[in-house]
Amino acid sequence: MRKRLPILNLFARIMKVQTRIEGARLTMLRNLITPKDKIISLPETLSCLEALMIMEDNKVRNAPVLDTRGVLYRGNIYRYHIYKYSYHNPDADLSQVSVTHLLKNASKTINEEDSILDLMFMIRDLPYIAVLNRDRAFSGIIYHSTLQDYLGKAWDIPNLGTVVTVNVQGKLFEFFRLYRLISKFAQPQGFMTLEETDYGTPRMLAFFIPSDLASYDVEALVNRLEAKKYVVHSYPFG
């Protein structure tokens, strides 16, 4: 039986990884969730004064607000917005102002079945994001710090020596050709695609080259790519 070509082996590996990703998708976010019984949440019946006292006592700057049954997510209440409201309304009695008057992030939620990419694009600058289950009930939150910790561990590549970025040209099967060319010098430990942005950054592929590839071989790899009319940059890691 003929051996499969390296490029077909690569394609098969990608498909296997994709299958594993789809299989793990339902559980990935659940592993990052802090369940609702482990956090401070507030009922929507509270006043701003009551909410402020609870947040101050527990040293939290914001908290999710739930309906009277503790099931549905209504939004977040922030200490900052309560203090800001009090500053601009000095005569207001906070004990008479409902927390629902100052709710934020009511639409900023994610589902347990969503992907890690959904989480990355939804959480943005939030300190945490509310997570809903299949029944749209509040199941907990994912902290921004938890996402950062997860990505730091998930993207940790042992023995990473150099990151080589290649500005792609949009040619057919371009990735496979680049992968095959780079593999002649070293087996990439991973890669990442980066799209063109309005920050002036082009569309590119970043290849992670192992540390056992000598610096002169990295230079030779860069020269080979540049000979193919690619714009290439290499960044030593560590």
Side-chain angles (χ1 to χ4, degrees), residues 34 38-42 46 48 50-65 76-83 127-128 141 143:
T34 300
K38 300 293 184 181
I39 63 173
I40 300 297
S41 61
L42 307 173
L46 291 186
C48 283
E50 292 170 320
L52 185 59
M53 292 173 64
I54 293 173
M55 288 190 287
E56 288 285 6
D57 289 344
N58 289 277
K59 296 181 173 58
V60 295
R61 65 189 181 103
N62 59 323
V65 175
N76 287 324
I77 186 72
Y78 291 78
R79 286 189 304 179
Y80 166 80
H81 292 118
I82 297 177
Y83 285 127
Y128 62 76
I141 62 175
Y143 288 103

Side-chain angles (χ1 to χ4, degrees), residues 30 32-39 139-143 146:
R30 291 175 186 167
L32 306 182
I33 296 173
T34 300
K36 66 178 183 180
D37 59 347
K38 300 293 184 181
I39 63 173
S139 61
I141 62 175
I142 297 178
Y143 288 103
T146 301

Side-chain angles (χ1 to χ4, degrees), residues 53-238:
M53 292 173 64
I54 293 173
M55 288 190 287
E56 288 285 6
D57 289 344
N58 289 277
K59 296 181 173 58
V60 295
R61 65 189 181 103
N62 59 323
V65 175
L66 308 180
D67 69 345
T68 55
R69 298 176 299 147
V71 174
L72 300 179
Y73 171 74
R74 297 303 192 198
N76 287 324
I77 186 72
Y78 291 78
R79 286 189 304 179
Y80 166 80
H81 292 118
I82 297 177
Y83 285 127
K84 182 179 179 181
Y85 178 85
S86 181
Y87 175 81
H88 289 289
N89 301 274
D91 297 328
D93 182 357
L94 292 181
S95 66
Q96 300 301 311
V97 180
S98 171
V99 290
T100 57
H101 185 68
L102 297 178
L103 288 183
K104 306 293 181 182
N105 315 134
S107 62
K108 299 293 185 180
T109 63
I110 195 166
N111 300 316
E112 290 179 349
E113 295 78 18
D114 286 339
S115 71
I116 195 71
L117 284 179
D118 293 319
L119 173 61
M120 291 172 62
F121 288 118
M122 282 296 295
I123 198 168
R124 293 187 177 271
D125 60 344
L126 296 175
Y128 62 76
I129 192 166
V131 184
L132 310 181
N133 63 21
R134 291 179 183 272
D135 298 322
R136 306 296 295 170
F138 178 76
S139 61
I141 62 175
I142 297 178
Y143 288 103
H144 202 128
S145 58
T146 301
L147 173 60
Q148 289 180 311
D149 183 61
Y150 163 75
L151 293 176
K153 294 174 180 176
W155 285 344
D156 181 31
I157 302 175
N159 304 316
L160 175 60
T162 307
V163 177
V164 174
T165 63
V166 184
N167 293 13
V168 295
Q169 302 169 356
K171 298 177 180 178
L172 188 64
F173 302 122
E174 186 170 31
F175 165 76
F176 296 104
R177 293 193 178 98
L178 286 170
Y179 188 94
R180 183 170 57 184
L181 189 155
I182 292 172
S183 296
K184 293 178 180 178
F185 292 83
Q187 187 68 32
Q189 293 186 296
F191 59 88
M192 180 184 296
T193 59
L194 299 169
E195 293 297 323
E196 183 179 1
T197 71
D198 55 10
Y199 289 101
T201 57
R203 188 182 184 192
M204 66 179 72
L205 282 165
F207 291 91
F208 306 135
I209 308 302
S211 57
D212 57 5
L213 185 67
S215 59
Y216 55 82
D217 285 327
V218 173
E219 184 177 352
L221 166 60
V222 171
N223 291 337
R224 179 70 65 85
L225 289 167
E226 288 177 339
K228 298 288 186 180
K229 308 302 182 183
Y230 284 102
V231 176
V232 186
H233 296 91
S234 62
Y235 305 92
F237 184 81

